[in-house]
Amino acid sequence: MRRLLRWAATAAALPVLAACTGTPPEDAGPAEAGADARPIPAECEAAADLPKRQMRGVWLTTVRNIDWPSEPGLEAEEQKEELRAQLDDAAELGLNAVFFHARPTADAVYASDKEPWARYLTGEQGGDPGYDPLEFAVREAHARGLELHAWFNPYRVGWKDPDLDGLSGDHPAVEHPDWLVEYDDQGWLDPGLPEVREWVTGVVMDVVDRYDVDGVHFDDYFYPYPAGGEEFDDDASWEEYGDGGDRDDWRRSNVDALMADVHAAIEESEPWVRFGVSPFGIYRNADSGPGGSDTEGLESYSAQYADTRAWIEQGSVDYLVPQLYWERGFSAADYEVLAPWWAEEVRGTGVDLYIGQAAYRVGEDGEKAWEGDGALARQLDFSGGLPEVGGDVFFSMQDLRGRAQGAMERLSEDHYALPALPPRAEGGEGRPDPVGGLGAERTGDGGVRLSWDPVEGARSYAVYRVAGDGADDPCALAGRDNLVGVVGAGDGPSFTDAAAGAAEDGSGGGDEGLRYFVTALDRYRTEGAPGEGEAVAAPTG
């Protein structure tokens, strides 16, 4: 009944859609539109019970070999095999994006003329691993229908032992020793120097211009987290560039300027590449100033000098992933307080909000809230009900098949049972062509194998299965109810629907069988109109 009501609500819009895309026969549904296929009605997508766009990401960390490679010094083929396995796991868990740690300590997990190879690959900074890991990761992620966001630490140079003690001669902190500030047990490029900001922006754009990444991502390391009794020694840059104002405001303005520079450079060069950041989960406490959250913890505004509210207002980010690594009901930083606070901050701004989830805390000793297979599902049960929350990113990859494996399997049942398309990038014009040449054949085990002709400019494909009696509903492809797969683009794209038999038993396909549709998504993640569908008759006998 709900679907019929949605059809009625959108019927008035169909003549307009037809005028824009060609007029199909009067009684044509998606299956019969052919070359004049209509786009999926936007009204249907807006009203979908299960929106099909959702960020489902994971941080894949290279620093200190947390996630990959498992240890420095592995042969290139061993590293590739490990990375393939990690990407397979991400796809099998129902995720659609990987945040790959490309620049952990002002070095490179990719071939760079600007910064040396990261030591986490070979054990020695500057050591050539024999291949380009980022290029390999992008190719392998896209082949699995996964996005890849290149993750950068903008300022961190690393720990004194062994990072600072083992810097290669071509490291920027060696070539420009005045850029380096040592604080506590780590080294940082000084955010107060305009030449550092220019350098970091150039490093990011070197990757954006040379690699087919889907996003650029910064984490929460701007100025360092406070260490008791320590002072961040930026006196020289403050004296030269501080203009005698408030030092804290000046530090925030330095970070603001980097964010604006990076966003503007990406927008000018590759506007489909989305730029985002994952700040510490508390911006400000309410008792520190107006508009803060009802929390009692460290503030990114005054600790890392990260003014996320300014970035939202100025449009310097496309998305935010605040690290809400506390459980529901935690008194100092309650997840049920912080998730709505962030939702309110982005409401109506055009900045997307995803939640950083603490997979690493599942099973934590003495923490009842993180016990059991429902530990992560409980978090999403709450924040998933906030309209502004467009998905989640989990830290980190090793935990999803380790301590949090049971929690992720439960999450797959409760929240990720159906695939999801990635969020769109703003600015794309037009849409990909409809998919042609769609063919379907039954496999011996009750599945259905699909193949189709490649679409020029396609980054990935969405595969839908519709029960025979719903194929003429213009809203049938609007949500993820009928989405069964997301496939990477390739020379001979195909997909096997192993669950087709179960769908016929339980979805009402009946004697009318099933009908499949495939749509193409371009690099902006804009979805093309569904081409001519392919019917699969109900099994006989």
Side-chain angles (χ1 to χ4, degrees):
M1 175 62 71
R2 181 176 293 155
R3 182 168 291 160
L4 291 174
L5 290 172
R6 284 188 294 172
W7 186 94
T10 59
L14 297 183
V16 176
L17 293 167
C20 296
T21 61
T23 305
E26 184 174 330
D27 59 347
E32 300 171 346
D36 293 325
R38 297 188 298 262
I40 300 165
E43 295 85 352
C44 293
E45 292 188 344
D49 296 328
L50 295 174
K52 62 183 169 183
R53 302 270 183 179
Q54 187 179 51
M55 171 59 73
R56 300 177 182 178
V58 60
W59 282 289
L60 200 160
T61 314
T62 59
V63 70
R64 294 193 167 186
N65 301 99
I66 290 176
D67 291 319
W68 177 87
S70 60
E71 59 181 303
L74 297 179
E75 295 293 330
E77 288 306 314
E78 292 179 284
Q79 291 188 12
K80 290 180 180 180
E81 183 178 350
E82 285 189 354
L83 188 51
R84 287 192 193 99
Q86 300 244 18
L87 296 174
D88 284 342
D89 284 346
E92 290 170 5
L93 288 167
L95 305 183
N96 58 19
V98 172
F99 293 73
F100 181 79
H101 209 181
R103 185 184 186 255
T105 49
D107 48 19
V109 188
Y110 57 92
S112 172
D113 292 332
K114 299 177 74 64
E115 294 182 331
W117 288 104
R119 72 173 177 87
Y120 307 109
L121 297 170
T122 64
E124 179 181 0
Q125 191 172 77
D128 190 337
Y131 74 111
D132 190 322
L134 179 58
E135 180 182 59
F136 179 78
V138 169
R139 183 173 65 250
E140 292 291 321
H142 287 173
R144 290 161 175 78
L146 298 168
E147 290 197 339
L148 190 135
H149 294 233
W151 165 18
F152 297 79
N153 287 116
Y155 298 120
R156 187 174 65 188
V157 179
W159 292 264
K160 289 182 180 178
D161 179 19
D163 296 307
L164 300 190
D165 296 338
L167 294 178
S168 63
D170 58 347
H171 192 282
V174 173
E175 294 184 337
H176 305 277
D178 57 314
W179 291 7
L180 181 66
V181 177
E182 294 189 22
Y183 177 82
D184 194 28
D185 62 347
Q186 295 191 55
W188 301 80
L189 300 180
D190 185 355
L193 294 171
E195 53 267 38
V196 167
R197 182 169 70 245
E198 182 179 354
W199 176 265
V200 173
T201 302
V203 167
V204 170
M205 292 311 301
D206 179 53
V207 168
V208 170
D209 291 338
R210 292 194 296 122
Y211 294 87
D212 192 19
V213 297
D214 302 287
V216 165
H217 183 75
F218 285 176
D219 57 26
D220 53 332
Y221 285 99
F222 295 101
Y223 283 83
Y225 279 81
E230 297 280 340
E231 292 291 336
F232 188 79
D233 185 9
D234 56 359
D235 287 349
S237 56
W238 160 247
E239 289 172 6
E240 185 169 358
Y241 300 107
D243 294 330
D246 181 83
R247 194 156 178 164
D248 287 356
D249 288 342
W250 171 75
R251 286 174 172 173
R252 278 185 285 272
S253 72
N254 295 331
V255 178
D256 292 349
L258 175 70
M259 299 296 291
D261 287 354
V262 170
H263 186 268
I266 294 171
E267 186 70 21
E268 181 178 356
S269 177
E270 314 285 0
W272 55 87
V273 173
R274 304 179 73 224
F275 177 47
V277 64
S278 53
F280 182 72
I282 299 174
Y283 169 71
R284 295 187 85 180
N285 299 310
D287 61 4
S288 295
S293 55
D294 186 14
T295 49
E296 299 175 352
L298 181 141
E299 304 170 329
S300 62
Y301 179 84
S302 55
Q304 290 86 43
Y305 304 99
D307 191 351
T308 46
R309 178 173 280 171
W311 308 340
I312 295 170
E313 293 173 351
Q314 296 164 10
S316 300
V317 291
D318 299 314
Y319 66 83
L320 290 172
V321 194
Q323 298 173 29
L324 302 192
Y325 293 166
W326 306 283
E327 65 271 19
R328 298 171 63 176
F330 179 59
S331 59
D334 190 343
Y335 187 88
E336 294 187 15
V337 168
L338 284 165
W341 186 90
W342 285 100
E344 177 66 26
E345 289 300 303
V346 303
R347 184 173 300 144
T349 65
V351 174
D352 287 349
L353 174 65
Y354 319 124
I355 304 298
Q357 300 288 353
Y360 72 93
R361 295 198 64 187
V362 174
E364 195 172 273
D365 289 343
E367 296 291 342
K368 188 172 182 179
W370 296 100
E371 293 177 356
D373 291 346
L376 294 175
R378 284 194 293 269
Q379 304 289 89
L380 271 68
D381 287 343
F382 177 77
S383 54
L386 300 171
E388 294 79 14
V389 174
D392 302 271
V393 183
F394 298 88
F395 189 86
S396 68
M397 190 64 227
Q398 68 162 346
D399 298 301
L400 302 193
R401 285 301 197 196
R403 63 190 303 152
Q405 180 166 340
M408 286 303 297
E409 291 172 354
R410 170 72 175 274
L411 194 70
S412 295
E413 296 174 4
D414 292 357
H415 293 272
Y416 292 173
L418 299 171
L421 302 184
R424 284 189 59 183
E426 296 296 327
E429 296 182 0
R431 61 181 70 245
D433 291 337
V435 169
L438 179 61
E441 60 180 5
R442 289 193 174 272
T443 61
D445 56 0
V448 173
R449 179 172 176 77
L450 307 169
S451 60
W452 57 90
D453 297 333
V455 172
E456 183 177 357
R459 172 59 59 85
S460 59
Y461 299 94
V463 181
Y464 299 88
R465 180 214 309 129
V466 183
D469 59 358
D472 291 337
D473 179 359
C475 291
L477 311 186
R480 64 177 184 266
D481 313 59
N482 294 317
L483 183 65
V484 293
V486 180
V487 180
D491 294 334
S494 63
F495 176 79
T496 298
D497 181 13
E504 287 168 317
D505 291 339
S507 70
D511 295 337
E512 299 181 37
L514 305 171
R515 189 176 292 275
Y516 288 88
F517 300 91
V518 178
T519 60
L521 283 78
D522 64 16
R523 57 192 179 185
Y524 286 92
R525 296 72 147 178
T526 300
E527 187 174 19
E532 186 171 344
E534 182 71 5
V536 178
T540 59

